[in-house]
Amino acid sequence: MAAKDEQLAEAAINAALGDLPDWKYQEGLVTVYKTSTAADALALIAAIGQLAEEQHHHPDLEWRYNRVFLRYVSHDAGGQVTNRDIAAAAAVSEAAAGLGATAQPERYPASQSGLNQ
């Protein structure tokens, strides 16, 4: 479990994003992956699920046909970004690349409520 003192400052998050081109910061680490088909999106979701179980760290995730929307924060650290989120995002990026998914972080909705529309 993360502690509040493990929360990353904005400067540290921005530095980490230099190594995470698939992601952006928006109330957490967020991205959208586009796949060729819905089946490929489900394969990506399965890979993310496997990583989440191995890491004991699960993203907020939504699936829409051939797009997978992801958000990482550490809920046990007050909903802030920690090093666990950085590591999880890096692992997901690697898995997505291996499955041929294309990152589209700019397609992540401007607000959390946008995911439910």
Side-chain angles (χ1 to χ4, degrees):
M1 289 193 149
K4 286 222 179 232
D5 61 354
E6 294 178 27
Q7 296 173 3
L8 296 178
E10 187 175 343
I13 294 169
N14 288 333
L17 286 172
D19 295 326
L20 297 170
D22 291 0
W23 299 81
K24 68 178 184 175
Y25 179 76
Q26 181 181 304
E27 298 178 13
L29 298 180
V30 301
T31 196
V32 177
Y33 283 104
K34 181 181 179 187
T35 62
S36 297
T37 65
D40 289 344
L42 287 170
L44 177 58
I45 290 168
I48 293 167
Q50 182 64 41
L51 289 169
E53 288 299 304
E54 291 169 4
Q55 297 171 338
H56 303 288
H57 193 50
H58 302 79
D60 297 326
L61 181 147
E62 186 168 320
W63 167 48
R64 294 188 191 157
Y65 178 61
N66 67 338
R67 286 191 173 84
V68 179
F69 295 72
L70 293 163
R71 178 175 174 259
Y72 274 105
V73 294
S74 292
H75 297 285
D76 57 354
Q80 300 299 310
V81 175
T82 67
N83 282 321
R84 281 190 306 157
D85 302 302
I86 302 296
V92 167
S93 291
E94 186 176 328
L99 292 169
T102 302
Q104 299 179 322
E106 70 281 358
R107 293 199 58 137
Y108 196 86
S111 70
Q112 278 299 96
S113 62
L115 277 180
N116 297 321
Q117 296 178 355

